[in-house]
């Protein structure tokens, strides 16, 4: 599976926050990521993380499995642009974004966003910012499968609306433009 | 040569995830959409006329007006639903 590591320039106390971006089929090791985010530079005072799971129930009823497709290459690039914008806006010490693809069952982890900073405010805001943009700008698609029924998940207007709090212009829903102000 | 990639519902509806097109300059994304519709028929014309169609050129979101170059990778897909 595609993987990318990069160092994004930050404006805060972390001159170059380490960034870990992965698209993977395997499960996400949340404990290992938290240890990685904590760093050893002594400056991390807050880690905020979000873990998304497969629900057992969707718009079409009980979900037996979820299929996740992505656009290799563009996915990593889009996530990289979102993380770069987050490191520009907030003082971050480390950022990890992992997203699974392939077939997943109810209760499985789908996505993890973890952010380390000196204080909680930056970590909370950056984590939510990254997640909001990931949902609407990174090229992933979900298909819900229940019994013999299969349906592609439709984008939700509320996900697009969530971007407005970050100053995003209105636009078509689900269009994976890079976060504004970045590549 | 242009590479055209399709994802998710578009890939399923049109029965292919990737195809190659011979290069003829000058060409915009809109020109390629017309070519694909002419050679692929009604299903292609309808899919590529969708209002919420997302276009990417070389992994960046783009538009019908974008001018293409030989070797570009053009992708069409529905709105994203990850996370």
């Amino acid at each position: 599976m595609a993987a990318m590591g990069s160092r994004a320039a930050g404006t805060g106390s972390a001159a170059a926050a380490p960034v870990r971006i992965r698209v993977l089929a395997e499960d996400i090791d949340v404990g290992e990521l938290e240890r990685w985010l904590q760093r050893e530079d002594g400056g991390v005072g807050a880690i905020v993380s979000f873990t998304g799971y497969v629900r057992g129930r969707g718009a079409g009823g009980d979900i037996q499995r979820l299929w996740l497709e992505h656009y290799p290459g563009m996915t990593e690039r889009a996530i990289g642009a979102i993380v770069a914008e987050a490191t520009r806006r907030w003082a971050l010490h480390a950022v990890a974004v992992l997203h699974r693809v392939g077939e997943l069952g109810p209760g499985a982890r789908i996505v993890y966003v973890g952010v380390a900073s000196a204080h909680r405010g930056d970590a909370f805001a950056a984590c939510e910012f990254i997640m909001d943009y990931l949902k609407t700008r990174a090229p992933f698609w979900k298909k819900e499968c229940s019994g013999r029924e299969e349906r592609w998940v439709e984008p939700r207007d509320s996900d697009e609306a969530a971007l407005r709090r970050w100053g995003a212009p209105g636009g078509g829903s689900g269009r994976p433009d890079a976060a504004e102000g970045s590549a | 040569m242009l590479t055209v990639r399709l994802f998710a519902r578009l890939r399923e509806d049109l029965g292919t995830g990737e195809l190659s097109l011979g290069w003829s300059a000058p060409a915009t994304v809109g020109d390629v959409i017309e070519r694909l519709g002419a050679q692929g028929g009604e299903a292609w014309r309808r899919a590529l006329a969708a209002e919420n169609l997302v276009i990417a050129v070389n992994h960046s979101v783009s538009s019908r007006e974008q001018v293409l170059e030989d070797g570009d990778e053009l992708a069409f897909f529905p709105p994203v639903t990850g996370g």
Side-chain angles (χ1 to χ4, degrees), chain A residues 121-165:
Chain A
D122 283 351
F124 270 120
C127 186
E128 195 157 31
F129 173 90
I130 291 168
M131 199 54 220
D132 283 352
Y133 272 93
L134 182 77
K135 282 199 82 86
T136 49
R137 299 293 185 265
F140 291 99
W141 301 272
K142 285 196 195 97
K143 185 197 239 181
E144 293 175 351
C145 310
S146 46
R148 278 168 297 181
E149 298 279 311
E150 291 188 344
R151 57 178 286 278
W152 288 100
V153 173
E154 296 294 334
R156 299 189 308 172
D157 290 342
S158 58
D159 287 335
E160 190 66 24
L163 293 189
R164 292 193 199 112
R165 66 181 134 174

Coordinates of all heavy atoms in Angstrom, one line a residue, chain A residues 121-165:
Chain A
G121 N -5.2 23.5 22.9 CA -6.0 24.3 22.0 C -5.6 24.0 20.5 O -6.4 23.7 19.7
D122 N -4.3 24.1 20.3 CA -3.8 23.8 18.9 C -4.1 22.4 18.5 O -4.4 22.1 17.3 CB -2.3 24.1 18.9 CG -1.9 25.6 18.8 OD1 -2.9 26.4 18.7 OD2 -0.7 25.9 19.0
A123 N -3.9 21.5 19.4 CA -4.1 20.0 19.1 C -5.6 19.8 18.8 O -5.9 19.1 17.8 CB -3.6 19.1 20.2
F124 N -6.5 20.3 19.6 CA -7.9 20.1 19.3 C -8.3 20.7 17.9 O -8.9 20.0 17.1 CB -8.8 20.7 20.4 CG -9.1 19.8 21.5 CD1 -8.7 20.2 22.8 CD2 -9.8 18.7 21.4 CE1 -9.0 19.4 23.9 CE2 -10.1 17.8 22.4 CZ -9.7 18.2 23.7
A125 N -7.9 21.9 17.7 CA -8.3 22.6 16.5 C -7.7 21.9 15.2 O -8.4 21.6 14.3 CB -7.8 24.0 16.5
A126 N -6.4 21.6 15.3 CA -5.7 21.0 14.1 C -6.3 19.6 13.8 O -6.5 19.2 12.7 CB -4.2 20.9 14.4
C127 N -6.6 18.8 14.9 CA -7.2 17.5 14.6 C -8.5 17.6 13.9 O -8.8 16.9 13.0 CB -7.3 16.8 16.0 SG -7.8 15.0 15.8
E128 N -9.3 18.5 14.4 CA -10.7 18.7 13.8 C -10.6 19.2 12.3 O -11.3 18.8 11.4 CB -11.5 19.6 14.6 CG -13.0 19.5 14.3 CD -13.9 19.9 15.4 OE1 -13.5 20.8 16.2 OE2 -15.0 19.4 15.5
F129 N -9.7 20.2 12.1 CA -9.4 20.7 10.8 C -9.0 19.6 9.8 O -9.5 19.5 8.7 CB -8.3 21.8 10.9 CG -7.8 22.3 9.6 CD1 -8.4 23.5 9.1 CD2 -6.8 21.8 8.9 CE1 -8.0 24.0 7.8 CE2 -6.3 22.3 7.7 CZ -6.9 23.4 7.2
I130 N -8.0 18.8 10.2 CA -7.5 17.8 9.3 C -8.6 16.8 9.0 O -8.8 16.4 7.9 CB -6.3 17.0 10.0 CG1 -5.1 18.0 10.0 CG2 -6.0 15.8 9.2 CD1 -4.0 17.5 10.9
M131 N -9.4 16.4 10.0 CA -10.5 15.5 9.8 C -11.6 16.0 8.9 O -12.1 15.3 8.0 CB -11.1 15.1 11.2 CG -11.9 13.8 11.2 SD -10.9 12.4 10.5 CE -12.3 11.6 9.6
D132 N -11.9 17.3 9.1 CA -13.0 17.9 8.2 C -12.5 17.9 6.8 O -13.3 17.7 5.9 CB -13.2 19.4 8.7 CG -14.1 19.4 9.9 OD1 -14.6 18.4 10.4 OD2 -14.3 20.5 10.5
Y133 N -11.2 18.3 6.6 CA -10.8 18.3 5.2 C -10.5 17.0 4.6 O -10.8 16.7 3.4 CB -9.5 19.2 5.1 CG -9.8 20.6 4.9 CD1 -9.9 21.5 6.0 CD2 -10.0 21.1 3.6 CE1 -10.2 22.8 5.8 CE2 -10.3 22.5 3.4 CZ -10.4 23.3 4.5 OH -10.8 24.6 4.3
L134 N -10.1 16.0 5.4 CA -9.9 14.7 4.9 C -11.2 14.1 4.4 O -11.3 13.5 3.3 CB -9.4 13.8 6.1 CG -9.1 12.3 5.8 CD1 -7.8 12.2 5.1 CD2 -9.1 11.5 7.0
K135 N -12.3 14.3 5.1 CA -13.6 13.8 4.7 C -14.1 14.4 3.4 O -14.9 13.7 2.7 CB -14.7 14.1 5.8 CG -14.6 13.1 7.0 CD -15.9 13.1 7.8 CE -16.9 12.2 7.2 NZ -16.8 10.8 7.6
T136 N -13.7 15.6 3.0 CA -14.3 16.2 1.9 C -13.3 16.5 0.8 O -13.7 16.9 -0.3 CB -14.9 17.6 2.3 OG1 -13.9 18.3 3.1 CG2 -16.1 17.4 3.2
R137 N -12.0 16.3 1.0 CA -11.0 16.6 0.0 C -10.1 15.5 -0.4 O -9.4 15.6 -1.4 CB -10.2 17.8 0.5 CG -11.0 19.1 0.7 CD -11.5 19.7 -0.6 NE -12.2 20.9 -0.4 CZ -13.5 21.1 -0.3 NH1 -14.2 20.0 -0.2 NH2 -14.0 22.3 -0.1
A138 N -10.0 14.4 0.4 CA -9.1 13.3 0.0 C -9.9 12.3 -0.7 O -11.0 11.9 -0.4 CB -8.5 12.7 1.3
P139 N -9.3 11.8 -1.9 CA -10.1 10.9 -2.7 C -10.2 9.4 -2.2 O -9.5 8.5 -2.6 CB -9.3 10.9 -4.1 CG -7.9 11.3 -3.7 CD -8.0 12.1 -2.4
F140 N -11.2 9.3 -1.3 CA -11.6 8.0 -0.8 C -13.1 7.8 -1.1 O -13.8 8.8 -1.1 CB -11.4 7.9 0.7 CG -10.0 7.9 1.2 CD1 -9.4 9.0 1.7 CD2 -9.3 6.7 1.2 CE1 -8.1 9.0 2.2 CE2 -8.0 6.7 1.7 CZ -7.4 7.8 2.2
W141 N -13.5 6.6 -1.3 CA -15.0 6.4 -1.5 C -15.3 5.1 -0.8 O -14.6 4.1 -0.8 CB -15.3 6.2 -3.0 CG -14.9 7.3 -3.8 CD1 -15.7 8.4 -4.1 CD2 -13.6 7.6 -4.5 NE1 -15.0 9.3 -4.9 CE2 -13.7 8.8 -5.1 CE3 -12.5 6.8 -4.6 CZ2 -12.7 9.3 -5.9 CZ3 -11.4 7.3 -5.3 CH2 -11.5 8.6 -6.0
K142 N -16.5 5.2 -0.1 CA -17.0 4.1 0.7 C -18.2 3.4 0.0 O -19.1 4.1 -0.5 CB -17.5 4.6 2.0 CG -16.5 5.0 3.1 CD -17.2 5.1 4.4 CE -16.4 5.8 5.4 NZ -16.7 7.2 5.5
K143 N -18.2 2.1 0.1 CA -19.4 1.4 -0.4 C -19.9 0.5 0.7 O -19.1 -0.3 1.3 CB -19.0 0.5 -1.6 CG -20.1 -0.2 -2.3 CD -19.6 -1.3 -3.2 CE -20.0 -1.1 -4.6 NZ -19.5 -2.1 -5.4
E144 N -21.1 0.6 1.1 CA -21.7 -0.3 2.1 C -22.3 -1.5 1.5 O -23.0 -1.4 0.5 CB -22.8 0.5 2.8 CG -22.3 1.7 3.6 CD -23.5 2.5 4.2 OE1 -24.7 2.3 3.9 OE2 -23.2 3.4 5.0
C145 N -22.1 -2.6 2.1 CA -22.6 -3.9 1.6 C -23.4 -4.6 2.8 O -22.9 -4.7 3.9 CB -21.4 -4.8 1.2 SG -20.2 -4.1 0.1
S146 N -24.6 -4.9 2.5 CA -25.5 -5.6 3.4 C -26.2 -6.7 2.7 O -27.0 -6.4 1.8 CB -26.4 -4.6 4.1 OG -27.1 -3.8 3.2
G147 N -25.9 -7.9 3.0 CA -26.5 -9.0 2.3 C -26.0 -8.9 0.8 O -24.9 -8.8 0.5
R148 N -27.0 -8.9 -0.1 CA -26.6 -8.8 -1.5 C -26.7 -7.4 -2.0 O -26.4 -7.1 -3.2 CB -27.6 -9.7 -2.4 CG -27.1 -11.2 -2.3 CD -28.2 -12.1 -2.9 NE -29.4 -12.1 -2.1 CZ -30.5 -12.8 -2.4 NH1 -30.5 -13.5 -3.5 NH2 -31.6 -12.7 -1.6
E149 N -27.1 -6.5 -1.1 CA -27.2 -5.1 -1.5 C -25.9 -4.4 -1.3 O -25.2 -4.6 -0.4 CB -28.2 -4.4 -0.6 CG -29.6 -4.9 -0.6 CD -30.4 -4.4 -1.8 OE1 -30.4 -3.1 -2.0 OE2 -30.9 -5.1 -2.6
E150 N -25.6 -3.6 -2.3 CA -24.3 -2.8 -2.3 C -24.7 -1.4 -2.7 O -25.4 -1.2 -3.6 CB -23.3 -3.3 -3.2 CG -22.7 -4.6 -2.9 CD -21.5 -5.0 -3.8 OE1 -21.4 -4.4 -4.8 OE2 -20.8 -5.9 -3.4
R151 N -24.2 -0.4 -1.9 CA -24.5 1.0 -2.3 C -23.3 1.9 -2.0 O -22.7 1.8 -0.9 CB -25.8 1.5 -1.6 CG -25.8 1.5 -0.1 CD -27.1 2.1 0.5 NE -27.1 3.5 0.4 CZ -26.5 4.3 1.2 NH1 -25.8 3.8 2.2 NH2 -26.6 5.6 1.1
W152 N -23.0 2.8 -2.9 CA -22.0 3.8 -2.7 C -22.5 4.8 -1.7 O -23.6 5.3 -1.9 CB -21.5 4.4 -4.0 CG -20.7 3.5 -4.8 CD1 -21.2 2.8 -5.9 CD2 -19.3 3.1 -4.7 NE1 -20.2 2.0 -6.4 CE2 -19.0 2.2 -5.7 CE3 -18.3 3.5 -3.8 CZ2 -17.8 1.6 -5.8 CZ3 -17.1 3.0 -3.9 CH2 -16.8 2.0 -4.9
V153 N -21.7 5.2 -0.7 CA -22.1 6.2 0.2 C -22.2 7.5 -0.4 O -21.3 7.9 -1.2 CB -21.2 6.2 1.4 CG1 -21.5 7.3 2.4 CG2 -21.2 4.8 2.2
E154 N -23.3 8.3 -0.2 CA -23.4 9.6 -0.8 C -22.7 10.6 0.1 O -22.7 10.5 1.4 CB -24.9 10.0 -0.9 CG -25.7 9.1 -1.8 CD -25.3 9.2 -3.3 OE1 -24.7 10.3 -3.6 OE2 -25.4 8.3 -4.0
P155 N -22.1 11.7 -0.4 CA -21.5 12.7 0.4 C -22.6 13.5 1.2 O -23.7 13.6 0.7 CB -20.9 13.7 -0.6 CG -21.6 13.4 -1.9 CD -22.0 12.0 -1.9
R156 N -22.3 13.9 2.4 CA -23.3 14.6 3.2 C -23.0 16.1 3.2 O -21.8 16.6 3.3 CB -23.2 14.1 4.6 CG -23.5 12.6 4.8 CD -23.6 12.2 6.2 NE -22.4 12.7 7.0 CZ -22.3 12.6 8.3 NH1 -23.4 12.1 9.0 NH2 -21.3 13.0 8.9
D157 N -24.1 16.9 3.0 CA -23.9 18.3 3.0 C -23.3 18.8 4.3 O -22.6 19.8 4.3 CB -25.3 19.0 2.8 CG -25.8 18.8 1.4 OD1 -25.0 18.4 0.5 OD2 -27.0 19.0 1.2
S158 N -23.6 18.1 5.4 CA -23.0 18.6 6.7 C -21.5 18.5 6.8 O -20.9 19.3 7.4 CB -23.6 17.8 7.9 OG -23.3 16.4 7.7
D159 N -20.9 17.6 6.0 CA -19.5 17.5 6.0 C -18.9 18.7 5.2 O -17.9 19.2 5.6 CB -19.0 16.2 5.2 CG -19.3 14.9 6.1 OD1 -19.3 15.1 7.3 OD2 -19.5 13.9 5.5
E160 N -19.6 19.1 4.2 CA -19.1 20.3 3.4 C -19.3 21.5 4.3 O -18.4 22.4 4.3 CB -19.8 20.4 2.1 CG -19.3 21.4 1.1 CD -17.9 21.1 0.6 OE1 -17.5 19.9 0.6 OE2 -17.2 22.0 0.2
A161 N -20.4 21.6 5.0 CA -20.7 22.7 5.8 C -19.7 22.9 6.9 O -19.3 24.0 7.3 CB -22.1 22.6 6.4
A162 N -19.1 21.7 7.4 CA -18.1 21.8 8.5 C -16.9 22.6 8.1 O -16.2 23.1 8.9 CB -17.8 20.3 8.9
L163 N -16.6 22.7 6.8 CA -15.4 23.4 6.3 C -15.5 24.9 6.5 O -14.5 25.6 6.6 CB -15.2 23.1 4.8 CG -14.8 21.7 4.4 CD1 -14.4 21.7 3.0 CD2 -13.7 21.2 5.3
R164 N -16.8 25.4 6.6 CA -16.9 26.8 6.6 C -16.3 27.4 7.8 O -15.9 28.6 7.8 CB -18.4 27.2 6.5 CG -18.9 26.8 5.1 CD -20.3 27.5 4.8 NE -20.9 26.7 3.7 CZ -22.0 26.0 3.8 NH1 -22.6 25.9 5.0 NH2 -22.5 25.3 2.8
R165 N -16.3 26.7 8.9 CA -15.8 27.2 10.2 C -14.3 27.5 10.0 O -13.7 28.2 10.8 CB -16.0 26.3 11.4 CG -15.3 25.0 11.3 CD -15.7 24.1 12.4 NE -16.0 22.8 12.0 CZ -16.2 21.8 12.8 NH1 -16.1 22.0 14.1 NH2 -16.4 20.6 12.4

